[in-house]
Amino acid sequence: MQPSASPTVIDSRSVVALLSRLRSVAGQADPLPLYAGLREMGDVVPAPWGGYLVTGHRACDEVLRSPDWLALDHAWRARQPDDSRWSTPSSRELEQTLVALNPPEHTRVRRSVNTIFDRGTLEALRPKVRRVANTLLDTLIEQAGDGDADFAELVGEQMPVATVGHWLGVPPEDFDLLRSLTHAQAYAQELLPVKRQLRAADEAIRGLRAYFTALVARRRAEPGDDVISGWLRAWDALEPDRDLADEQVYALAMFTVIASLETTSTLLSTMVWTLDRHPRQRAWLRAHPTALADAVEEVFRYDPPIAVTTRYASRDLMLAGTPIARGEVVHTMLASANHDPSLTPDAHAFDVTRRARHISFGGGIHYCIGAGLARLEASLLLEAILRRLPALRVTEPPTWEPRLAFRRITTMRVSVR
């Protein structure tokens, strides 16, 4: 790889100021100029707290795909200070999920669910997801009447939990609880969480553990033809210790829910908001429904729900001309990389007619297991909106939560007539 054009010395105060702006409500509402500011600092930018921010597409893609860069696993977290964020209960709980596993553990767990959200599963889910989309739009229409209603709450938040909840066999009366716990747990995966957020994440992870261990125990006692029972059978064949097998299934079920809910909910609202700001493209899509899949990919590229992921160097490495010592972390700025003009001409522009390229689902062995499901939900919801609600308009700009890694729209009011 060619050496980065980054300056040899970067003022840490400039980095702090830019990230502070990006984490604010205003920065989340309009992040593109701030992503551009990061890229202008270089492909690899020293982070004020240690480690590096990786801003360009080529360098981010290398980190995500190369086996030299590892997820923040138990071994790495155990080397961190006892009073660091990595010692919190919510952080430790994530150690056993796919997001924090490396080979061979990651390979073993991934193989146990190698058919998760494959083509057959997604096709079987399609009728249910379509019904969910239309039912939620019915509620939106009723609630909005001749005024407006909160799309984020009534549709964006509800569709992912209804979809994955149905797939896992979770009772609908538990959906609100899981949404609440998932939102709070996400703070454990933020780039720069504050103590208040970590306390909320710790409380949430205890709730998630209690819920999903009980769910697994019920399936163990009364196995059936459902996903969790199937995982139990798969792990019984892999792990002779039944308690350890149950623990693996708990981690899979919990991770599937938190990965599905937190990201897709914002993506669905972002999709509507972005198209609202581009009415000509929305009208073109209505006349060209075969382009829906490309439009969804462009939404993922333009405004991904996960903006940052983190890896550490397995050995001394060079990244875009910058030496990275063994054990040092790098934060891949996915949203910034998606807007790198070396990847996409006119990357700042939203264009549903392009064949979008992006790294919003990650890359390599940690490529998002739920990518197909997210695409299915977004495509079917967009198709239903264009067909049923041609007059849908955003009446108040979205309210964004001040975050860095996981973008989240909390409210977005729309009219439907």
Side-chain angles (χ1 to χ4, degrees):
M1 179 175 289
Q2 293 297 317
S4 169
S6 305
T8 56
V9 177
I10 296 174
D11 182 3
S12 63
R13 291 173 298 181
S14 299
V15 181
V16 170
L18 194 151
L19 291 176
S20 296
R21 291 171 59 199
L22 185 57
R23 185 164 58 173
S24 69
V25 172
Q28 287 295 288
D30 186 21
L32 297 193
L34 302 175
Y35 297 151
L38 278 173
R39 290 193 303 275
E40 288 171 3
M41 293 181 179
D43 287 340
V44 180
V45 179
W49 57 87
Y52 297 86
L53 307 173
V54 187
T55 70
H57 173 264
R58 189 175 179 184
C60 282
D61 193 56
E62 178 180 339
V63 170
L64 294 172
R65 294 180 183 279
S66 171
D68 289 330
W69 298 95
L70 303 177
L72 302 185
D73 54 15
H74 171 76
W76 183 89
R77 295 173 194 236
R79 293 194 293 268
Q80 308 313 304
D82 291 339
D83 60 349
S84 74
R85 59 169 293 192
W86 307 108
S87 64
T88 61
S90 51
S91 176
R92 290 295 171 87
E93 196 74 12
L94 288 174
E95 290 178 1
Q96 60 184 315
T97 66
L98 278 166
V99 72
L101 296 180
N102 293 304
E105 293 85 1
H106 181 276
T107 306
R108 185 182 187 219
V109 173
R110 189 99 183 201
R111 282 178 178 171
S112 74
V113 292
N114 61 359
T115 59
I116 189 172
F117 303 136
D118 61 2
R119 182 174 298 178
T121 299
L122 293 175
E123 285 305 308
L125 278 171
R126 181 179 293 273
K128 172 64 178 180
V129 177
R130 181 176 281 114
R131 286 195 298 272
V132 167
N134 282 293
T135 298
L136 295 177
L137 291 182
D138 289 341
T139 301
L140 180 72
I141 293 168
E142 179 182 358
Q143 292 289 321
D146 292 327
D148 60 12
D150 188 349
F151 181 94
E153 174 62 26
L154 296 175
V155 181
E157 291 275 334
Q158 299 294 338
M159 189 167 181
V161 71
T163 298
V164 79
H166 162 77
W167 184 66
L168 285 176
V170 171
E173 57 267 26
D174 295 343
F175 288 175
D176 286 345
L177 171 64
L178 293 180
R179 287 196 305 125
S180 175
L181 294 175
T182 295
H183 286 321
Q185 180 279 332
Y187 292 128
Q189 301 179 68
E190 264 300 307
L191 182 58
L192 298 171
V194 298
K195 290 183 179 180
R196 170 184 53 81
Q197 292 173 327
L198 291 176
R199 287 194 297 269
D202 290 345
E203 183 177 352
I205 207 69
R206 286 189 285 267
L208 288 166
R209 170 168 275 280
Y211 184 88
F212 284 106
T213 53
L215 181 61
V216 171
R218 291 198 298 272
R219 295 293 191 274
R220 172 66 77 184
E222 299 181 7
D225 186 22
D226 59 90
V227 174
I228 293 177
S229 296
W231 286 347
L232 285 169
R233 288 189 287 270
W235 274 98
D236 284 345
L238 293 170
E239 176 55 66
D241 186 320
R242 182 161 289 186
D243 289 340
L244 291 179
D246 287 0
E247 184 72 5
Q248 290 287 354
V249 175
Y250 147 74
L252 280 171
M254 186 265 287
F255 176 72
T256 299
V257 168
I258 64 176
S260 300
L261 271 57
E262 189 65 17
T263 55
T264 308
S265 60
T266 286
L267 181 279
L268 298 177
S269 293
T270 297
M271 178 176 67
V272 171
W273 168 235
T274 305
L275 286 169
D276 185 80
R277 288 180 294 162
H278 297 84
R280 291 184 179 178
Q281 296 196 50
R282 175 175 163 152
W284 184 89
L285 269 180
R286 191 177 297 114
H288 300 84
T290 57
L292 283 177
D294 286 343
V296 168
E297 291 304 312
E298 176 67 350
V299 172
F300 275 115
R301 181 199 72 84
Y302 190 76
D303 197 351
I306 298 179
V308 187
T309 61
T310 302
R311 299 286 187 268
Y312 75 92
S314 64
R315 56 186 178 85
D316 292 347
L317 294 166
M318 293 289 290
L319 181 64
T322 301
I324 311 291
R326 180 176 182 267
E328 279 197 299
V329 297
V330 296
H331 308 288
T332 56
M333 311 297 287
L334 306 181
S336 170
N338 282 353
H339 287 270
D340 188 335
S342 70
L343 171 70
T344 303
D346 300 322
H348 63 284
F350 179 74
D351 182 359
V352 298
T353 67
R354 75 165 106 232
R355 300 299 297 271
R357 298 170 58 201
H358 61 79
I359 54 173
S360 299
F361 292 118
I365 64 169
H366 287 282
Y367 187 83
C368 177
I369 62 172
L373 183 61
R375 288 179 168 118
L376 179 67
E377 291 181 63
S379 295
L380 292 180
L381 179 61
L382 180 56
E383 183 276 329
I385 289 173
L386 293 177
R387 175 173 49 83
R388 297 185 56 189
L389 301 175
L392 186 146
R393 292 294 181 269
V394 176
T395 58
E396 296 180 16
T399 300
W400 294 87
E401 187 171 356
R403 297 184 178 189
L404 276 173
F406 283 71
R407 285 170 60 71
R408 185 189 172 207
I409 290 177
T410 56
T411 63
M412 186 177 74
R413 301 199 65 85
V414 302
S415 64
V416 297
R417 296 191 176 96

